[in-house]
Each structure stands twice: as structure tokens, then as C-alpha cells.
Amino acid sequence: MAAASPPPLLLRLLTLALALAGATAGKISGPRTPISRDIYHSSDSLLREIKALVARHSDKLSMDTIRTSNKGYSVELFVVTFNHLKENMDNGSKVHILLSFGQHGRELITSEVALHLLYILTEKPKIAGVDLSSFEKLLENLVIKVVPMENMNGRKRVEEGELCDRRNGRGVDLNRNWSVDWGMKEKDYDPYEENPGIAPFSEPEAQIMRELSRSFKPHIWVNVHSGMEALFMPYDHKNTTPNGASAHLMRSVLENLNRRHFQDSCLVGSGGGSVGYLAHGTTTDYMYDIAKVPMPFTFEIYGDEKASTDDCFKMFNPVDKKTFDRVINKWCMAFLILFEEGLRNLRDAQIVSQVTLENWVPIGGDIVERNVERKSSRDTRKLEGLDLGMQELRTYFRLFLLSTFLLMFMFCTRISKNRNRDSGNLFDP
């Protein structure tokens, strides 16, 4: 007698259980490398060290602390300014450089490069035994603003154990929150990793960085990331580079840097054409298309291709002291060469222009506070909070009033002409 077959419902349950077991087995990840606390600073200790450095070198460094709050989400952002001769007025001849590190929380190595670069600019003018005194004259021609940890809240989540998290404190990818091609999604779009936010500039971090770019008007912008080694120029959201003289200028700087320092080992080109995927709403594309920065770049400074995709700390950061030091030294020197190449090319192209350095006001939070930590007599000042878009609304209102006045003027003029014509007709023979 043949054995009875299992009921259909039981068969379906067994099939589902086997499928779930297989899926779970496929997702079992290997060991995850923890943060190398012996060689990496915590966000708090890194900040303390930067503050101490600023205090020791108040003749060259100053630091702004910007705190904003938006719908219950609070952000703190630090901007360190290097000006080799602070007593000299910037008459427009200096090149303005804006560097952002740590936009993605899991990329700790980028903020370490920021710290060491500040040391090199002030009290440790050597890299791996190489004397950098020849760069002193170069630095007199630059004003450099460094944002060591753009995504402080996201960084703290990583330090608490979320080693794969690149987003900010409320789950938004800050490098997808800018307005150029915002919200577009590719077929491989990952809503967890690439959440662009509810609108362009919905995040306070992006709002502050936008206002900083508007007020400082950089000639060179670098967004520093890790995950591979590359020197990128726009665009990220399409598989092409810009046309014309500006594109030639950017490519020339990157190719010279790659040849001089990396022996042509770095990937050079557009982010969208080189990485293998398109990214929409990125900072660098905004800096080029909207802010009109002559040289906006994205640098990828490290990546472990052999690391498991689940082992995020190892994938994005060196885990041993020898590799850590090599990456730090290599990319600090790369920035110095970038400064040299950028200055020469900008002056050859006669791009350096007048800009305003002081009194910039970040817009977009419910509360905006600016603390200027300097050794001079300037006191801490509180800035009035401004609603997002208030300046734009005022502009539109003025235009509306102007257009209304013009329409009324035209209407009254037309009526006056008609009345004069009618009066003339009464006395015609």
C-alpha cells in the first residue's frame, strides 16, 4: 500500500520553512572587525585635540562651532579656518579651499586625515621625514576651511556599534540630500543606504554646508570619502564630465596630482562614469552646477577590496597602524600637492576673485548659534534663527510688489491715454 502524501497545507509550510532556512544561511556573515580604538580617535577626543591645536596656533587657526536644531533633530558642526597670515586682509588674491571630511559616519579614516593635515599646516611640517618648508610660501596664498566631521551624529552611531551606517542621526544619506538631480533612483537603489531625505536640504548638516559654500565662495572643494582610491570630478549623477575650459582645468589638476604623487595608480574621471553606479543629489555636483565652484572634487582615500561587505570597518578604514600611517601620510601630501596645482592653474586661468570671508550665517534650523573659539577678544555671539528659505521668500515678495506696481502703472497710463483720446474726439470738427 502506498504511503499517504502529506496534506497540501503541511507541504507548503515545510517548503516555506526550508526556504527561510536557506535564506538565513545565505545571510550568515563572517566576523566583523571592531574599531581599532588604539589608533583611531573617538569623535570627542578628536574634537578636543583640534580645539587644543587651535588654541596653540591662534595666529593661524580659528574655529567656528555651528549648532542648529530642526524639528527636534540637533546638529553640531565645527569649521576650522587656516589663514597663514591672519593679520593680512584677504583682497581677493588668495585661493579659497573648502575641505569636508566624515560626511559618511563609517569612514573614520577621513577625519583622521583632517586632524593630521591641520597638524602639518601648523606645527608638524614633515610627512614621513620629508621636509615641507618649501610649502610655506604656498600657504601664504591660501585660506583653507576644514570641516573635520561633517556628520557628527552619524559618527557617534558608528562608535556605538552601527559599523555599517553611513547616514546621519535620523537616517538620511547627506551625500544624497543636495538639490542637483535630487530624489532620482537607480535600479539598484538601496533605500537604507541612500535615503535622500524628504526634500533637498531637509537635513541641517546639508543646510549649514550650503551656506558655508555661499559665504566662503571656495575656488576648490574636496569631499573626502573612503571605499576605494580615486580622484573624482563631476558628474556623479550622469556618466559624463562637464564640457569646456572648466572641465579641462579640473582634469589637468587631477591628472597632474595622479602622476606626481600616485604614479598614475588612482582612478581619475567623473564619479558617475568611474564608480560603476550613478549617485543623485550629491554635494560635488551641487558645488559645480549651482555654487559654481571652479574645481569641485571627490577624493576616495582608502578601500579594502578583500573585506567582506558585512565587515564595514575593515572595508572603509585601515585596521593596522602601519597601513593607517601610510594612508595618512600619502593623502596629507596629496592635499599639499593639490593646493600647489590648484593655485597655479587658477592663477593661470585668472579665476581668483574677490570674496567675503566673515559674517556668514547658516540658514535652515529652528535655532542657529555660532560660537567663535579664538584667543582674540571676540566674544561668543548668538545669531538669530532663520526659517529655511526665508531669504528666497523675501526676494519673491519684492519681485511680486515690483511687478504689481508696474502693472498698475501700465493700467493707469492706458486709462489716461483713452480718456485723452475721447476728450479730443468731442472737439474734432
Side-chain angles (χ1 to χ4, degrees):
M1 183 175 177
S5 59
L9 178 59
L10 178 60
L11 186 61
R12 286 198 296 272
L13 290 173
L14 287 171
T15 302
L16 179 60
L18 288 172
L20 289 172
T24 303
K27 291 184 178 179
I28 294 176
S29 60
R32 294 187 177 185
T33 306
I35 296 174
S36 305
R37 308 270 180 184
D38 55 331
I39 58 177
Y40 284 88
H41 293 79
S42 68
S43 54
D44 291 336
S45 65
L46 190 141
L47 179 58
R48 283 195 301 270
E49 197 159 331
I50 291 175
K51 287 182 176 180
L53 188 64
V54 171
R56 290 197 301 272
H57 298 279
S58 59
D59 58 324
K60 297 179 181 179
L61 297 179
S62 59
M63 186 165 80
D64 294 344
T65 304
I66 298 94
R67 298 181 179 92
T68 73
S69 177
N70 188 314
K71 297 182 179 179
Y73 177 65
S74 298
V75 164
E76 192 171 50
L77 199 115
F78 305 91
V79 183
V80 181
T81 301
F82 169 84
N83 191 347
H84 189 272
L85 299 172
K86 283 173 63 176
E87 67 274 11
N88 287 3
M89 291 283 292
D90 182 9
N91 60 6
S93 64
K94 290 192 175 186
V95 169
H96 291 192
I97 299 172
L98 179 57
L99 310 175
S100 176
F101 302 81
Q103 189 180 49
H104 287 155
R106 64 192 178 190
E107 299 165 11
L108 275 65
I109 184 62
T110 65
S111 295
E112 298 290 341
V113 170
L115 173 62
H116 282 75
L117 182 60
L118 290 171
Y119 270 116
I120 289 167
L121 292 174
T122 52
E123 61 185 39
K124 294 182 180 179
K126 287 189 178 182
I127 299 178
V130 178
D131 187 2
L132 304 175
S133 57
S134 61
F135 284 94
E136 282 293 306
K137 192 66 177 176
L138 166 72
L139 296 176
E140 293 178 9
N141 298 281
L142 308 177
V143 179
I144 305 168
K145 285 190 181 288
V146 176
V147 180
M149 290 180 286
E150 181 182 330
N151 183 7
M152 174 72 82
N153 291 342
R155 164 73 178 251
K156 288 186 177 295
R157 286 175 56 86
V158 172
E159 292 173 349
E160 291 166 0
E162 299 291 333
L163 298 180
C164 287
D165 205 341
R166 60 191 252 159
R167 307 166 302 164
N168 74 347
R170 57 180 178 190
V172 173
D173 183 347
L174 295 177
N175 205 29
R176 301 293 185 273
N177 192 233
W178 294 68
S179 59
V180 174
D181 217 39
W182 176 86
M184 296 295 293
K185 298 177 176 62
E186 296 296 311
K187 292 181 180 179
D188 59 350
Y189 167 73
D190 184 339
Y192 177 83
E193 287 233 328
E194 298 183 89
N195 175 15
I198 60 173
F201 303 108
S202 62
E203 303 311 296
E205 298 95 337
Q207 295 164 12
I208 293 171
M209 291 302 298
R210 176 182 59 176
E211 294 309 312
L212 179 56
S213 71
R214 287 176 174 175
S215 60
F216 183 53
K217 294 181 174 60
H219 302 98
I220 298 173
W221 152 264
V222 187
N223 197 4
V224 186
H225 287 272
S226 62
M228 61 190 303
E229 285 200 342
L231 306 169
F232 290 142
M233 57 189 283
Y235 286 104
D236 295 322
H237 72 281
K238 52 187 175 182
N239 184 10
T240 185
T241 57
N243 297 317
S246 62
H248 176 76
L249 196 67
M250 287 186 284
R251 184 173 288 277
S252 175
V253 168
L254 293 184
E255 288 179 349
N256 287 344
L257 172 58
N258 195 27
R259 184 187 69 255
R260 287 180 58 186
H261 185 57
F262 295 102
Q263 292 75 50
D264 292 321
S265 63
C266 272
L267 195 60
V268 174
S270 72
S274 304
V275 174
Y277 63 88
L278 301 181
H280 307 274
T282 68
T283 314
T284 295
D285 282 359
Y286 175 92
M287 291 295 181
Y288 182 75
D289 267 0
I290 308 300
K292 304 302 180 184
V293 176
M295 293 185 185
F297 302 125
T298 299
F299 284 3
E300 296 274 353
I301 66 172
Y302 175 81
D304 187 342
E305 297 177 355
K306 297 180 181 179
S308 162
T309 55
D310 292 326
D311 195 359
C312 291
F313 182 76
K314 186 177 182 182
M315 179 183 291
F316 293 98
N317 306 278
V319 296
D320 63 271
K321 186 67 165 61
K322 182 179 179 180
T323 308
F324 176 91
D325 289 340
R326 176 177 58 81
V327 172
I328 294 290
N329 292 334
K330 178 167 66 173
W331 284 94
C332 284
M333 178 62 82
F335 277 109
L336 294 179
I337 296 174
L338 171 69
F339 300 161
E340 184 180 63
E341 288 286 340
L343 176 62
R344 179 173 57 80
N345 280 270
L346 286 165
R347 287 194 167 168
D348 287 348
Q350 299 181 336
I351 291 177
V352 177
S353 60
Q354 293 275 358
V355 288
T356 301
L357 293 180
E358 297 295 336
N359 301 324
W360 60 274
V361 182
I363 298 175
D366 301 324
I367 301 170
V368 179
E369 182 182 65
R370 181 188 188 209
N371 295 330
V372 185
E373 300 182 28
R374 306 174 186 224
K375 271 195 155 184
S376 65
S377 61
R378 295 178 72 181
D379 295 326
T380 300
R381 295 176 298 175
K382 290 186 178 181
L383 302 177
E384 181 182 0
L386 297 174
D387 292 330
L388 177 62
M390 182 60 70
Q391 287 187 344
E392 288 82 355
L393 288 175
R394 286 173 177 168
T395 300
Y396 294 146
F397 182 69
R398 292 188 187 108
L399 290 173
F400 170 76
L401 289 178
L402 179 60
S403 60
T404 303
F405 173 80
L406 290 174
L407 286 172
M408 290 295 294
F409 176 80
M410 292 170 64
F411 179 74
C412 292
T413 302
R414 185 66 178 269
I415 291 176
S416 176
K417 287 182 178 179
N418 289 339
R419 286 180 176 175
N420 289 337
R421 186 168 57 250
D422 293 338
S423 298
N425 291 336
L426 291 174
F427 297 98
D428 282 344

